[in-house]
Amino acid sequence: MAVGAAASPLGSSVISLVNRLQDIFSRVGSHSAIDLPQVAVVGSQSSGKSSVLEALVGRDFLPRGNDICTRRPLVLQLVQVKPSQDEFGEFLHLPGRKFHDFSHIRYEIQAETDREAGGNKDVSDKQIRLKIFSPNVLDITLVDLPGLTKVPVGDQPSDIEARIRTMIMSYIKTPTCLILAVTPANSDLANSDALQMAAIADPDGNRTIGVITKLDIMDRGTDARNLLLGKVVPLRLGYVGVVNRCQEDILMNRSIKDALVAEEKFFRSLPIYSGLVDSCGVSQLAKKLNKILAQHIKALLPGMRAHISASLVTLVKELASYGEITESKAGQGALLLNILSKYCDAFSSMVEGKNEGMFTSELFGGARIQYIFQSIFVRSLEEVDPCEDLTDDDIRTAIQNATGPKSALFVPEVPFEVLVRRQISQLLDPSLQCARFIYDELVKISHHCMVTELQRFPFLRKCMDEVIRSFLQEGLKPSETMITHVIEMEMDYINTSHPNFIGGSKAIEAAVQQTRSSRVALPVSRVKDVVESDKGPASDKSGKSRSNFAGHAMADKGIRVTSDVEEVVTSGTISGSRWGISLFFSAGYNRVSTKENTASKPHTEPVHNAQSFSMIHLREPPPVLRPLESNSDTETVEITVTKLLVKSYYDIVRKNVEDLVPKAIMHFLVNNTKRELHNVFIEKLYREDLFEEMLQEPDEIAKKRKHCRELLRAYQQAFKDLDELPLEAETVERGYSLPETATDLPKIPGLPTSSLYSTGSSGDYYEASTKNTESIRSSHSGELQSPLHENMDSN
């Protein structure tokens, strides 16, 4: 009975391929770089895991004891060789050393475990890799994991259970890992720790193989038939029952050969297992594992090929980013000049929106500058009402202050200029703040200029950041100076001749209309009352005697009270002249002569009696004086006209500022930086005495370059091995499928492939053992040679 016939030649080759890939990635310390197919052995302590593995090998080689024995993951690669070859084992951490005595393998496992995990029964997730060459095995790769435990014993850590479960789950949760769940038959299968964890990682049961141990010590009258048939806990890949050596057999040094014979007799002696030939015995377990693992690997090969191909491209780019070490001054100068040029080009591209890595989730670079100009600066200025912080009282106070000790007949020009200058000055701070915002954006852009070579030279990056920050600050100063000058120019010359300025006549017309709409016209019968109201106290009279446009006729002359404002609005002219701001602030109004008014009043000289005292006492003026709150109609018109003039001229200045401030910032700060940054870099950094210091690599970069080269070499070798394996649709067993075609190795320009495939003279034992294995396989029939099979054939 040839067990090896169950495994096709391709099945053996794919398992051998995975073993080689594991060796390749383990050699560079990256066994987790790719999830390779493997079989993880899971079970509680004393469930018989170690006995199952030793039975598969046919030799005693694992540590034993009453406490936890497996404290580090043991990756066990079984390699079938020719019958004429000796059995031996090799460890990854001891390349070139062959262990023909399997008891020495046990001692080395114990010693290596203690070196990493200590002697306090602690666990470690660092693997021990062991390869066993034997004619009595089938090609299988297994990972023996620490047994599940509930209570810490001795000086074990208190969280030993959680740590073991976390370690086990890290292996079995990956879809590429098959789970060998070992459960003793004398325990309740529904409470199996191994099946419980397998159900969490593999809820559908598509990757779990059940192993029922200790069938020979079940209670009398019970059997494991329903367990093996999957009627208790169904598994898609089924169960296999085995009978291992008991502790007494081990103490009595009973050989595994004798144990396999006893196992065969046990299953033959019980009729209940007669119909379960494919589910009983270590030999059946070996064939089942070999077949399922081969099928599993072949189903995953296309994905592995695609993953390795994509990783190769990534590694090539990463290695290119680390560059090569240049020691000559000429080479260092060329490298530095190249870095500076790339940086400046990247900076300009980001500002102009031409960078390759275009952002789609947010605005970046020049788009943010445009947003600051239009959506922040301009919009903020347009939302401000220039008269919002100017009350009527403020305007009236300014007008009265401008008249001095006299009661002005007209609105003086000074209040308008004072008020409009005050409002214009408020544009300076937001304009300077806008320049600061653009400066901050340019600093952010400089930080995002990720020139690949700069990752190697942190000191150079630091120097460049300092240079560009200093240069941007130098560009900010003339920008702020120009902005300040723009605001000062607007304040220094109030151009009332601007074509967009509202002018006097339009302001008066609008003011009168606003005044008329806000009050009811005075009846003619109240005109005399209005005139008489002007004969009040001197303090009230001084506030009401002024007029923007005309004075009242004197009541004692009987002149009808009219407003020249209405005449101006009607005729639009004064003394034949067109209304304008200059005439509005001139003294060209028709008014009653002061002399005439003086002549019309009787003049009486007050008589002072030196010996008499007046009974009238004047109050001292308060420290702070404000105009009276009551406004006459004339004052209302004055205030309204002033507001209209201030708002009109402010809008003109605001538009100028909205246009000139961004231009100043772009000229002195943004565009100047784009034009001159490269020259500044050359002046400040391109100095031969600084080459070595700026191009000094940290040790971490050198280590990363070395590791990246080794990993790239490993991926190249892995892809080469995959490429040499034929993938044909008819070789895939039922239940598994392969994509039509796997992708080829990407052709990467400039990558030296020959050097990556070759290995140095110091190559480890895996390369030699792989060649040895291939030469052995060429003349081997693939049959499993074991005492059990010899006995079965003889019968």
Side-chain angles (χ1 to χ4, degrees):
M1 178 179 177
V3 179
S8 64
L10 181 59
S12 299
S13 62
V14 294
I15 295 176
S16 176
L17 168 67
V18 171
N19 290 343
R20 294 200 304 273
L21 296 182
Q22 288 179 340
D23 299 342
I24 290 171
F25 290 112
S26 297
R27 189 162 52 231
V28 294
S30 300
H31 62 272
S32 60
I34 180 173
D35 295 327
L36 295 172
Q38 57 190 359
V39 179
V41 184
V42 183
S44 59
Q45 286 189 30
S46 303
S47 62
K49 291 192 303 89
S50 298
S51 297
V52 171
L53 294 177
E54 289 182 334
L56 290 172
V57 176
R59 301 293 295 266
D60 292 315
F61 68 97
L62 293 176
R64 289 188 174 274
N66 295 326
D67 297 328
I68 181 173
C69 299
T70 305
R71 297 188 288 129
R72 288 177 59 183
L74 175 64
V75 180
L76 180 62
Q77 297 178 355
L78 305 183
V79 181
Q80 189 183 46
V81 297
K82 293 188 302 182
S84 59
Q85 294 289 325
D86 294 334
E87 293 179 300
F88 64 92
E90 292 182 343
F91 287 97
L92 175 64
H93 61 274
L94 296 174
R97 181 178 175 183
K98 296 181 180 180
F99 291 80
H100 294 275
D101 188 344
F102 279 70
S103 62
H104 292 170
I105 293 179
R106 178 188 301 111
Y107 298 146
E108 181 58 32
I109 293 176
Q110 291 175 336
E112 183 64 19
T113 299
D114 292 340
R115 278 193 291 268
E116 183 65 29
N120 63 342
K121 302 299 180 182
D122 197 2
V123 296
S124 171
D125 59 356
K126 188 174 182 179
Q127 295 178 347
I128 299 176
R129 304 188 68 85
L130 171 63
K131 182 176 287 189
I132 293 180
F133 299 86
S134 173
N136 301 322
V137 299
L138 290 178
D139 290 340
I140 304 172
T141 299
L142 302 138
V143 182
D144 185 21
L145 297 171
L148 291 164
T149 183
K150 297 291 186 182
V151 180
V153 295
D155 54 355
Q156 283 183 334
S158 59
D159 61 342
I160 187 69
E161 179 185 5
R163 293 175 60 183
I164 292 176
R165 287 182 175 271
T166 301
M167 183 192 305
I168 293 174
M169 190 59 65
S170 67
Y171 280 85
I172 65 177
K173 70 180 179 181
T174 59
T176 59
C177 180
L178 296 175
I179 306 170
L180 192 66
V182 180
T183 305
N186 58 350
S187 65
D188 188 358
L189 196 65
N191 295 325
S192 169
D193 291 333
L195 291 177
Q196 181 187 26
M197 293 202 67
I200 296 174
D202 179 30
D204 298 329
N206 295 329
R207 298 185 287 113
T208 305
I209 306 170
V211 177
I212 308 299
T213 62
K214 303 183 180 181
L215 296 175
D216 55 331
I217 61 174
M218 293 183 68
D219 294 339
R220 291 189 177 184
T222 62
D223 60 74
R225 183 177 181 85
N226 288 337
L227 302 181
L228 297 176
L229 291 176
K231 294 182 178 181
V232 180
V233 180
L235 293 177
R236 179 176 176 271
L237 299 180
Y239 292 84
V240 176
V242 297
V243 176
N244 297 324
R245 294 179 300 169
C246 63
Q247 190 65 26
E248 181 182 0
D249 294 336
I250 296 173
L251 295 176
M252 297 296 294
N253 292 324
R254 186 182 183 186
S255 66
I256 294 181
K257 176 180 179 181
D258 295 338
L260 293 176
V261 174
E263 180 190 49
E264 181 184 358
K265 288 181 180 179
F266 172 80
F267 286 117
R268 285 184 177 181
S269 63
L270 295 179
I272 193 69
Y273 299 117
S274 60
L276 301 173
V277 178
D278 294 337
S279 300
C280 296
V282 173
S283 62
Q284 295 299 325
L285 175 61
K287 290 188 289 185
K288 189 181 188 75
L289 285 175
N290 177 267
K291 180 179 179 180
I292 292 176
L293 181 59
Q295 293 173 338
H296 187 62
I297 292 172
K298 285 182 283 186
L300 297 174
L301 280 178
M304 293 166 55
R305 181 188 293 265
H307 176 81
I308 292 176
S309 177
S311 299
L312 277 172
V313 177
T314 303
L315 285 171
V316 169
K317 292 181 179 179
E318 181 181 354
L319 183 60
S321 68
Y322 298 136
E324 297 295 336
I325 300 176
T326 304
E327 297 182 356
S328 65
K329 291 295 183 180
Q332 291 176 346
L335 176 60
L336 178 59
L337 189 60
N338 183 45
I339 294 175
L340 298 178
S341 299
K342 285 185 177 180
Y343 184 92
C344 295
D345 292 342
F347 183 87
S348 298
S349 298
M350 286 187 178
V351 173
E352 297 170 0
K354 299 178 182 179
N355 55 308
E356 297 179 357
M358 185 67 65
F359 285 82
T360 58
S361 58
E362 61 175 331
L363 295 179
F364 185 76
R368 289 182 62 91
I369 295 176
Q370 170 70 5
Y371 182 88
I372 292 172
F373 283 151
Q374 300 301 322
S375 300
I376 296 180
F377 177 65
V378 172
R379 184 174 298 178
S380 298
L381 296 188
E382 291 179 348
E383 291 175 353
V384 174
D385 183 2
C387 297
E388 182 178 1
D389 59 341
L390 285 178
T391 64
D392 292 353
D393 194 37
D394 294 334
I395 297 175
R396 186 168 60 252
T397 302
I399 293 175
Q400 292 188 15
N401 285 336
T403 61
K406 299 180 296 182
S407 297
L409 299 177
F410 315 105
V411 177
E413 191 173 347
V414 175
F416 162 70
E417 294 186 356
V418 170
L419 294 175
V420 80
R421 283 193 178 97
R422 191 180 81 171
Q423 301 306 101
I424 293 174
S425 66
Q426 296 181 6
L427 297 174
L428 179 60
D429 287 343
S431 299
L432 296 177
Q433 191 177 15
C434 178
R436 175 61 62 172
F437 285 167
I438 302 302
Y439 167 82
D440 294 337
E441 288 301 321
L442 293 177
V443 172
K444 291 179 182 178
I445 292 174
S446 69
H447 291 162
H448 283 83
C449 291
M450 296 304 295
V451 178
T452 306
E453 291 80 0
L454 280 179
Q455 299 177 9
R456 300 169 50 193
F457 311 115
F459 184 75
L460 174 60
R461 180 64 195 241
K462 180 182 177 181
C463 294
M464 293 177 65
D465 288 341
E466 292 177 355
V467 170
I468 191 172
R469 182 178 292 273
S470 175
F471 184 58
L472 288 174
Q473 290 176 348
E474 293 176 1
L476 180 61
K477 292 178 182 179
S479 300
E480 293 177 337
T481 302
M482 184 63 187
I483 292 172
T484 304
H485 288 168
V486 168
I487 302 300
E488 290 176 349
M489 287 189 299
E490 295 289 352
M491 294 172 60
D492 283 347
Y493 178 60
I494 307 300
N495 182 19
T496 55
S497 300
H498 194 282
N500 294 334
F501 188 56
I502 187 173
S505 59
K506 292 182 181 179
I508 295 170
E509 181 179 358
V512 171
Q513 290 178 356
Q514 290 183 18
T515 304
R516 285 179 175 177
S517 62
S518 61
R519 66 174 178 79
V520 179
L522 291 175
V524 176
S525 60
R526 294 186 57 195
V527 171
K528 185 175 181 180
D529 296 336
V530 172
V531 176
E532 291 297 334
S533 65
D534 289 340
K535 298 182 179 180
S539 60
D540 294 344
K541 190 174 182 180
S542 65
K544 296 180 180 180
S545 61
R546 294 174 292 100
S547 174
N548 271 353
F549 322 103
H552 293 295
M554 302 307 296
D556 57 340
K557 301 293 289 184
I559 302 175
R560 185 175 70 88
V561 178
T562 59
S563 175
D564 287 343
V565 175
E566 297 179 1
E567 297 180 8
V568 170
V569 172
T570 303
S571 63
T573 61
I574 295 180
S575 302
S577 301
R578 185 176 181 275
W579 265 99
I581 188 63
S582 59
L583 291 178
F584 175 73
F585 287 113
S586 67
Y589 293 105
N590 294 326
R591 58 188 182 275
V592 179
S593 172
T594 304
K595 295 181 179 180
E596 182 179 344
N597 288 338
T598 305
S600 64
K601 290 186 179 181
H603 177 73
T604 58
E605 186 70 24
V607 178
H608 299 280
N609 189 353
Q611 298 181 353
S612 63
F613 298 94
S614 173
M615 300 299 295
I616 301 174
H617 297 281
L618 300 180
R619 293 178 300 171
E620 292 185 4
V624 179
L625 289 175
R626 300 288 295 175
L628 296 177
E629 296 182 0
S630 60
N631 292 341
S632 65
D633 295 338
T634 302
E635 287 179 329
T636 302
V637 174
E638 293 174 357
I639 294 171
T640 304
V641 170
T642 303
K643 284 185 177 180
L644 291 173
L645 296 175
V646 170
K647 181 175 177 56
S648 175
Y649 196 79
Y650 177 86
D651 288 341
I652 295 172
V653 175
R654 176 182 53 79
K655 292 179 181 179
N656 292 340
V657 171
E658 290 175 355
D659 181 58
L660 294 177
V661 167
K663 288 181 177 179
I665 296 173
M666 289 298 297
H667 175 72
F668 290 103
L669 185 58
V670 180
N671 291 333
N672 183 64
T673 303
K674 289 166 49 181
R675 289 189 296 264
E676 302 297 332
L677 182 59
H678 189 267
N679 295 334
V680 173
F681 277 150
I682 296 299
E683 179 184 355
K684 300 291 186 180
L685 301 179
Y686 193 76
R687 294 162 51 187
E688 188 171 332
D689 57 325
L690 296 178
F691 286 172
E692 186 173 352
E693 182 180 7
M694 288 188 298
L695 299 179
Q696 181 67 35
E697 282 186 344
D699 295 338
E700 183 182 359
I701 297 296
K703 292 179 181 178
K704 287 182 178 180
R705 181 194 294 111
K706 180 180 179 182
H707 178 71
C708 186
R709 283 176 176 171
E710 293 175 351
L711 197 57
L712 181 60
R713 185 178 295 111
Y715 271 97
Q716 286 279 4
Q717 185 62 49
F719 198 95
K720 180 182 179 182
D721 291 345
L722 279 173
D723 201 40
E724 293 174 353
L725 183 70
L727 289 178
E728 300 177 0
E730 61 268 21
T731 63
V732 183
E733 284 77 358
R734 184 179 302 175
Y736 293 83
S737 61
L738 291 175
E740 295 180 358
T741 307
T743 59
D744 292 332
L745 175 66
K747 296 180 179 179
I748 305 167
L751 184 65
T753 56
S754 59
S755 61
L756 293 177
Y757 290 144
S758 61
T759 56
S761 58
S762 59
D764 59 27
Y765 79 103
Y766 280 103
E767 181 183 5
S769 62
T770 301
K771 296 179 180 179
N772 184 33
T773 303
E774 294 302 324
S775 63
I776 292 174
R777 289 187 183 281
S778 61
S779 60
H780 183 56
S781 61
E783 296 183 358
L784 176 65
Q785 303 294 328
S786 70
L788 173 62
H789 303 123
E790 294 174 1
N791 182 276
M792 293 176 65
D793 292 339
S794 63
N795 292 334

